[in-house]
Amino acid sequence: MKRIHRITCENPLEKIWSMFVYFESEPHVKDFLTQFYRVPFGEEASKYAFQNTQKFIYNIKQGKEYYSAAQSSNILVKPLLLYYGMVSFLKAVILTADPHYPAHSKVLQHGVTSRKLKKSDYTFSEDEVKVQKEGLFPLITQLFESQHMIGEKIKIKQLLSIIPELKESYEKTYHEVSLLPLHLSKHIDYTSPVTTFYLSESVLDHFHLTYEGFISFLNRYNTGKARFIHHPIETPQGIIRLSWDHPEKIHVFESPNGFENHLFIQDYKGNHFFQYQQSHSHIPELTAHFLIMYILGMLCRYETELWGEIVFSFTSEEMFIIHEFLNISQRKFPNMILDLLFSERFIFETR
């Protein structure tokens, strides 16, 4: 991401969809794709952009139509519409990196599998997906440099745990802490520009680390130029104070990629969280939305009776978090697609 845009508006979702209209203009899209293709393909960039302009536009338009239909649909079919909306948007994203997509029929597969016939004692959170070697999803992992996911089996509960807007719902449903909110100091000392933040001291016990050991642990997951350093001022019992130092950013609020570290994540309002449970295998949040929606789409397509029992039964323990996920994903996934396409982070704030 190149920079952050904070946009104040009455209705964030309405504003997001209005920004997608930019991608319905052939001149805009041709110039847009040419910029992506120029470095890797040189003089052929304009040719490839011309060839893919309409394909890109129709992927975007189709994605919007799926989401529009999902907005007014019953929950019995909503996940399927949202999933195919995601697929259409991601095909457009892939086109920005690969002008030859689809090169062959195998890349048109989903790229993930799950057990189609569910067990009689089925539990949504314990269901899992397996990432295939070929198909749409493996191409997405390449964009995020997350090819380590290929061949892995991933449980839905793990995917739910990394979505920051689901933090409260996750804890109410599973009685576990998944994410810790960061308390960031807004004070800036221009003589020594670092971001000071606070975490619960419980993280040290959770990872069996000392304060200094925890700082070393965090720095192993850095993805950019920033690093975490010791803060010299003592803190009250129960919390720890750390500093984030970046050679080019005065404060993390200026960083479109947040802390540039796999263990930290942001919600769509720009609030930061520490991933309390995900310490080893990084899963980009956008891929978590996709994989969860894939399972939900499979349920409502192939296991209609079971799906109805899950979302309408008074005895279902996970109905609440599924409803929450669908509402949040409808709002956040298009936002993340905009971020990817423009290579900028958009934070929409209400007046």
Side-chain angles (χ1 to χ4, degrees):
M1 302 291 174
K2 294 178 291 188
R3 56 179 174 170
I4 296 177
H5 284 290
R6 297 182 185 273
I7 299 174
T8 303
C9 54
E10 296 287 351
N11 187 323
L13 190 55
E14 187 176 285
K15 179 63 176 176
I16 289 169
W17 291 126
S18 72
M19 292 182 67
F20 273 99
V21 175
Y22 176 86
F23 298 113
E24 296 181 16
S25 160
E26 284 195 14
H28 283 163
V29 171
K30 186 176 182 297
D31 289 343
F32 172 80
L33 291 176
T34 300
Q35 291 176 26
F36 274 97
Y37 297 156
R38 184 167 286 124
V39 172
F41 301 106
E43 294 180 357
E44 292 187 296
S46 182
K47 179 188 76 173
Y48 287 143
F50 176 77
Q51 290 174 353
N52 286 314
T53 290
Q54 288 202 351
K55 188 189 299 183
F56 181 94
I57 289 173
Y58 282 117
N59 279 326
I60 293 294
K61 287 179 70 68
Q62 188 176 60
K64 286 177 63 180
E65 286 302 315
Y66 275 124
Y67 267 76
S68 177
Q71 187 69 31
S72 56
S73 71
N74 189 280
I75 195 171
L76 277 174
V77 296
K78 187 188 291 284
L80 200 56
L81 293 169
L82 291 174
Y83 172 73
Y84 281 108
M86 289 179 172
V87 168
S88 295
F89 285 139
L90 289 172
K91 285 180 178 178
V93 172
I94 291 169
L95 272 176
T96 65
D98 181 5
H100 305 294
Y101 176 81
H104 50 82
S105 60
K106 288 185 178 180
V107 298
L108 297 175
Q109 300 169 0
H110 296 288
V112 289
T113 59
S114 70
R115 184 192 295 270
K116 284 187 179 179
L117 293 176
K118 307 302 181 184
K119 298 177 182 178
S120 57
D121 56 347
Y122 176 79
T123 303
F124 173 64
S125 62
E126 294 301 311
D127 203 347
E128 59 185 18
V129 291
K130 182 176 181 180
V131 181
Q132 303 292 88
K133 291 182 179 180
E134 293 183 300
L136 176 72
F137 189 76
L139 295 178
I140 297 303
T141 65
Q142 290 178 26
L143 295 177
F144 287 98
E145 298 181 352
S146 299
Q147 292 96 321
H148 65 274
M149 296 175 67
I150 295 175
E152 282 192 5
K153 288 184 177 181
I154 307 169
K155 286 194 175 182
I156 296 302
K157 188 176 179 182
Q158 182 184 1
L159 299 171
L160 292 168
S161 74
I162 65 173
I163 299 175
E165 292 83 2
L166 279 180
K167 176 185 181 300
E168 301 299 329
S169 304
Y170 183 93
E171 292 175 10
K172 283 183 171 66
T173 304
Y174 303 116
H175 310 292
E176 296 176 8
V177 175
S178 61
L179 300 165
L180 293 179
L182 266 62
H183 304 283
L184 273 69
S185 170
K186 295 183 180 180
H187 173 72
I188 299 175
D189 179 359
Y190 288 94
T191 62
S192 179
V194 297
T195 301
T196 301
F197 67 97
Y198 306 85
L199 269 172
S200 168
E201 197 173 27
S202 64
V203 296
L204 302 184
D205 292 332
H206 179 75
F207 292 104
H208 307 291
L209 293 169
T210 63
Y211 175 73
E212 295 294 345
F214 182 64
I215 291 174
S216 297
F217 168 73
L218 293 181
N219 283 323
R220 291 206 298 269
Y221 294 90
N222 290 333
T223 60
K225 300 177 181 179
R227 64 190 180 95
F228 296 91
I229 57 176
H230 174 275
H231 196 288
I233 301 176
E234 291 187 11
T235 56
Q237 189 173 1
I239 61 173
I240 56 174
R241 181 191 278 119
L242 302 100
S243 294
W244 180 77
D245 184 24
H246 195 291
E248 298 167 2
K249 307 292 182 187
I250 293 176
H251 197 283
V252 73
F253 289 148
E254 296 182 354
S255 172
N257 298 305
F259 281 96
E260 299 182 356
N261 183 287
H262 285 324
L263 300 182
F264 294 84
I265 197 165
Q266 288 177 271
D267 64 14
Y268 57 64
K269 294 181 180 179
N271 300 310
H272 295 266
F273 298 82
F274 173 70
Q275 298 188 61
Y276 197 61
Q277 293 188 0
Q278 188 185 346
S279 58
H280 301 293
S281 180
H282 171 59
I283 299 175
E285 188 191 349
L286 182 142
T287 66
H289 282 255
F290 180 88
L291 293 174
I292 296 169
M293 201 68 76
Y294 169 80
I295 286 289
L296 294 176
M298 294 292 282
L299 280 170
C300 69
R301 183 178 181 182
Y302 295 108
E303 297 281 354
T304 309
E305 183 179 356
L306 173 60
W307 175 236
E309 290 177 1
I310 291 172
V311 293
F312 294 122
S313 171
F314 292 119
T315 61
S316 172
E317 295 180 353
E318 296 178 305
M319 173 184 66
F320 172 58
I321 198 166
I322 290 172
H323 277 267
E324 286 286 285
F325 169 74
L326 290 172
N327 289 332
I328 288 164
S329 194
Q330 282 183 91
R331 158 64 177 85
K332 192 172 188 181
F333 193 85
N335 198 157
M336 292 190 288
I337 292 295
L338 271 185
D339 294 350
L340 271 180
L341 290 174
F342 283 110
S343 298
E344 298 177 355
R345 177 150 171 73
F346 292 94
I347 298 176
F348 298 89
E349 301 168 332
T350 53
R351 290 189 176 93

